[in-house]
Structures are given as structure tokens and as C-alpha cells.
Amino acid sequence: PKESKTDPLPVVETITVKAGTFECVRTESEYLGTKTVTWSSKKYPGLVVKQTSLGDTIEGSQELVEFKE
């Protein structure tokens, strides 16, 4: 079986989605052949701003469309 892999070095990026522009920490992981990239807000820990997944049998993405402080 394929093992889980995580990129140990998160990258800080500023991204723009429908909800606005956010300074994020980008992390990458791989599990059972599916690679997932997640952008999480630096200012609001736990807030996922965008996420994409790509594998042999799955392709998907989600992003924040509305946010109010």
C-alpha cells in the first residue's frame, strides 16, 4: 500500500478567492495516491481558504466564497 506523505516545509503565499485576498500557509500531502494542497489562513488559524485534491480516481477543489470578520 502507498504511504501517506507530507511536505515538511509549509510555504507562505497570498491568494485571492471569491471571499477576498488572504495570506495563507500552503501545505501539501499525499495519501493513497491522492495529492492534496491546502491553503490555510495565517490570520485565522483553522480557516481553510482553498483546497485541491488530485488522484487516480478523484479530482476536486473547494474555496472560500464568503467571509466576514
Side-chain angles (χ1 to χ4, degrees):
K2 296 180 181 177
E3 295 182 17
S4 174
K5 298 178 191 175
T6 301
D7 184 347
L9 301 173
V11 176
V12 175
E13 293 182 345
T14 300
I15 66 167
T16 300
V17 295
K18 188 174 180 180
T21 301
F22 297 84
E23 185 175 16
C24 295
V25 177
R26 185 190 78 209
T27 55
E28 298 182 11
S29 61
E30 186 175 328
Y31 181 70
L32 298 176
T34 299
K35 180 179 179 180
T36 300
V37 182
T38 304
W39 289 264
S40 300
S41 171
K42 281 190 72 176
K43 185 175 181 180
Y44 302 100
L47 177 66
V48 174
V49 176
K50 182 176 178 178
Q51 187 173 60
T52 61
S53 296
L54 180 61
D56 294 337
T57 60
I58 186 171
E59 180 177 345
S61 65
Q62 60 184 3
E63 68 177 49
L64 193 63
V65 295
E66 184 177 356
F67 181 76
K68 296 180 182 177
E69 293 189 56

